[in-house]
Amino acid sequence: MTSPPAGPPASPPLLQSPAALAALLLMPLFFATNLVVGRAAVAAISPWTLIFWRWFLAILILLPFAATALVGRRDLLAKNWRALLVLGFIVTVLCGGNVYVSLQFTSATNATLIYTTSTIMIVVLDALLARRPLPPAHIVGAVAGFAGIALIAVQGELGRLLNLSFNIGDLGILVAAIAWAAYSLMIRKSPLNALGPVPAFTAVALVGTLLLVPPMLWEAAHQGHLPAGAMAWTSVLILAIFPSVLAFILFQYCVRVVGAPVTAIFLYIMPVYGVVMALILLGEQLHLYHAVGFALVLGGVILATRPVNQPNGGPAR
């Protein structure tokens, strides 16, 4: 028997791959739009109704680019129906509607701190599954990035960490964080990747959207709020395009090109983008803790994604 490989080949330095670097920088920006637009939309639209229409519109956008591949490889889809079911459930239910519902019971501070742990989970789980040690620089970078987000989340008042209380909403966010870490690692070597990024993601989104029908209908039967008016539908369309179609496609591309750990670390930039958008669109003020937090986040990204040389001079694998 041959011994298992030490790990995936080392990714090329990001500065030598402009496409990968651009994708890594844009991906968290598109995800962050969900924090600004989604926060406003969920106040006017019921959470399961919002997530259903978000993904329904996303599928309408994706299908023209994916239909041929999906029909041509329907044998592959049928063979991997269990994987499609699990991935679709994670994307739209656990990391979609569940998050909107949970935010009704917990604070943004708690949610940010808990969800951010998914990045640590991805980096650590990837190293454990590959049976390779985690480089010290990567550990320091991950911890620094988490510290930066924590500082921003508690608004520079570290004493708030001692007064945090946890409820069912926090548990829901924790479930979403674990699910996101699992999804990030599952899609890396999924047989569905043979379809290509767009068709594979379209198949996952299609199955996931079907799973959203029951909770959406239940919500409608219990006086749920449908999108009403141009502003509400514009919000849904923005959520369908940016944090759904573009963000997830870039995420899958990044995982395939540079690996799940590097992709996960760049998600640390998401709250940075969120604060900047809040400054521009909502008129919020910038404080010293924002600047310190940004420095920790960006420094963490640099440390956690830098190539690490082995004693023999070769790149870490």
Side-chain angles (χ1 to χ4, degrees):
M1 295 179 62
T2 58
S3 59
S11 302
L14 294 179
L15 292 180
Q16 297 179 14
S17 180
L21 181 59
L24 286 167
L25 292 173
L26 287 173
M27 173 199 58
L29 173 61
F30 293 155
F31 273 128
T33 60
N34 189 42
L35 302 176
V36 178
V37 180
R39 186 173 299 161
V42 77
I45 309 170
S46 299
W48 291 106
T49 301
L50 174 61
I51 198 67
F52 171 80
W53 285 107
R54 167 186 167 182
W55 283 110
F56 181 80
L57 292 181
I59 290 172
L60 293 182
I61 296 171
L62 290 167
L63 270 179
F65 305 98
T68 301
L70 293 179
V71 173
R73 297 304 306 274
R74 55 187 178 276
D75 56 331
L76 178 64
L77 296 174
K79 184 179 179 180
N80 294 280
W81 68 269
R82 291 182 179 86
L84 279 171
L85 193 63
V86 172
L87 293 173
F89 182 76
I90 290 174
V91 169
T92 64
V93 178
L94 294 183
C95 296
N98 168 56
V99 171
Y100 288 154
V101 172
S102 298
L103 285 173
Q104 296 178 330
F105 300 97
T106 188
S107 66
T109 297
N110 284 27
T112 300
L113 288 171
I114 296 169
Y115 213 129
T116 301
T117 60
S118 65
T119 303
I120 306 297
M121 295 177 198
I122 293 170
V123 174
V124 174
L125 286 176
D126 182 77
L128 290 176
L129 293 174
R131 299 180 182 179
R132 68 175 185 275
L134 198 62
H138 291 188
I139 297 176
V140 173
V143 173
F146 179 77
I149 290 179
L151 185 66
I152 293 171
V154 300
Q155 300 180 4
E157 299 179 14
L158 299 182
R160 292 191 178 190
L161 292 173
L162 301 176
N163 300 320
L164 292 178
S165 59
F166 297 91
N167 54 37
I168 192 167
D170 299 318
L171 180 60
I173 298 296
L174 178 60
V175 169
I178 296 171
W180 180 256
Y183 174 83
S184 303
L185 297 174
M186 288 172 64
I187 64 169
R188 184 173 183 177
K189 296 182 179 180
S190 172
L192 296 172
N193 288 334
L195 294 170
V198 175
F201 179 65
T202 303
V204 170
L206 181 58
V207 172
T209 303
L210 292 176
L211 295 176
L212 292 172
V213 172
M216 184 269 294
L217 291 178
W218 179 88
E219 210 169 51
H222 291 77
Q223 299 182 336
H225 300 290
L226 292 169
M231 184 65 69
W233 281 109
T234 299
S235 298
V236 175
L237 184 60
I238 291 173
L239 291 173
I241 294 173
F242 291 99
S244 301
V245 175
L246 295 179
F248 275 86
I249 287 178
L250 285 179
F251 180 81
Q252 297 203 171
Y253 167 79
C254 292
V255 168
R256 288 192 301 108
V257 173
V258 300
V262 173
T263 302
I265 290 296
F266 268 81
L267 287 175
Y268 276 143
I269 306 176
M270 184 170 67
V272 176
Y273 285 139
V275 170
V276 171
M277 284 193 292
L279 292 172
I280 296 174
L281 301 177
L282 304 179
E284 296 183 1
Q285 295 182 346
L286 183 66
H287 299 282
L288 178 61
Y289 64 80
H290 286 134
V292 177
F294 292 170
L296 286 170
V297 168
L298 297 179
V301 168
I302 294 171
L303 277 176
T305 59
R306 65 188 294 269
V308 178
N309 291 331
Q310 300 287 19
N312 62 4
R317 298 179 67 83

